[in-house]
Amino acid sequence: MASSCLQICALLLALAGFTILLVTTMSNRWKISDIGTALVPTDWISEGLWMDCAVTAVRSLQCRKFLYILSSDTYIQACRALMIASILLGFIAAVLSLLGLKCTKIGLSDEDGKMKFAVTGGFLFILGGLCSMVAVSWYAAMITAQFFDPLYAGTKYELGDALYLGWAGSVLCMLGGILLTCSCKRKKNEDYSFNKYPYSSGQVAPPQDTYTKNSETVISNKEYV
């Protein structure tokens, strides 16, 4: 029962992280610039992986998609690929984890098969969290380097809200995956202990072979083999 509750809690954590990462991928606030520092009223103030947004002269927010995806910087393209890989891994992990829960009747009925599904799902959640963590950290490192570079002539941005969401989602995904994997490992150890000591407290251990010689009880050599 405790193992089932741990699996459910781990899956909920991982699904929460997966949802946050999905929102982070589609967000347009990976980097932002202060409106007060804009040189003209139509300066772009925020940018994401797929579009950027600006405040017009009448203070209305307008967003536009990038015209050429492949014309972006190399690190941006790499972050897109890592975030997409994280979303795909998270989706596959969610399906496998649902099939691997002991409290579900979907898919396999064999407990060993369910355990393998749950362990695989947990591993994919961890891998997906690592992919998103690398993407968000890389993007943040590039923004920070450009901001503190005195020779950088372009617009300097600050860290956006989406980066903090990405870090939180990555941690939740990895934490859920670790707990999901550990819950299955714990069950495996319990089964091993039960098979190693099959006798219960109410059972009597088999008697030892003994014989009496010269009024002394000697244990048979069978016990030393």
Side-chain angles (χ1 to χ4, degrees), residues 39-57:
L39 298 179
V40 293
T42 57
D43 277 350
W44 301 103
I45 62 167
S46 67
E47 185 175 323
L49 296 178
W50 315 101
M51 64 177 63
D52 48 13
C53 298
V55 172
T56 62

Side-chain angles (χ1 to χ4, degrees), residues 174-187:
M174 290 188 289
L175 181 60
I178 292 173
L179 292 178
L180 191 61
T181 305
C182 291
S183 66
C184 298
K185 185 178 180 181
R186 178 183 177 185
K187 181 64 174 63

Side-chain angles (χ1 to χ4, degrees), residues 12-53:
L12 291 178
L13 283 176
L15 289 178
F18 173 74
T19 304
I20 293 175
L21 291 179
L22 186 61
V23 174
T24 302
T25 305
M26 302 305 298
S27 176
N28 54 11
R29 293 183 62 84
W30 281 60
K31 58 183 180 181
I32 58 176
S33 63
D34 190 3
I35 300 178
T37 60
L39 298 179
V40 293
T42 57
D43 277 350
W44 301 103
I45 62 167
S46 67
E47 185 175 323
L49 296 178
W50 315 101
M51 64 177 63
D52 48 13
C53 298

Side-chain angles (χ1 to χ4, degrees), residues 63-83:
C63 299
R64 66 177 183 182
K65 295 181 179 179
F66 294 136
L67 297 179
Y68 303 101
I69 300 297
L70 297 179
S71 63
S72 303
D73 294 336
T74 304
Y75 77 94
I76 295 179
Q77 297 184 27
C79 291
R80 290 171 184 164
L82 288 172
M83 293 303 295

Side-chain angles (χ1 to χ4, degrees), residues 150-173:
L151 301 179
Y152 183 71
T155 304
K156 294 185 178 182
Y157 293 88
E158 298 180 357
L159 302 182
D161 305 335
L163 296 180
Y164 299 101
L165 288 177
W167 278 317
S170 301
V171 171
L172 288 177
C173 269

Side-chain angles (χ1 to χ4, degrees), residues 1-11 100-103 111 115 118 179-188 190-191:
M1 182 64 182
S3 180
S4 299
C5 294
L6 182 59
Q7 282 186 339
I8 295 174
C9 293
L11 181 59
L101 290 179
K102 294 192 299 183
C103 59
E111 189 171 355
M115 184 182 68
L179 292 178
L180 191 61
T181 305
C182 291
S183 66
C184 298
K185 185 178 180 181
R186 178 183 177 185
K187 181 64 174 63
K188 185 177 180 181
E190 290 176 356
D191 293 342

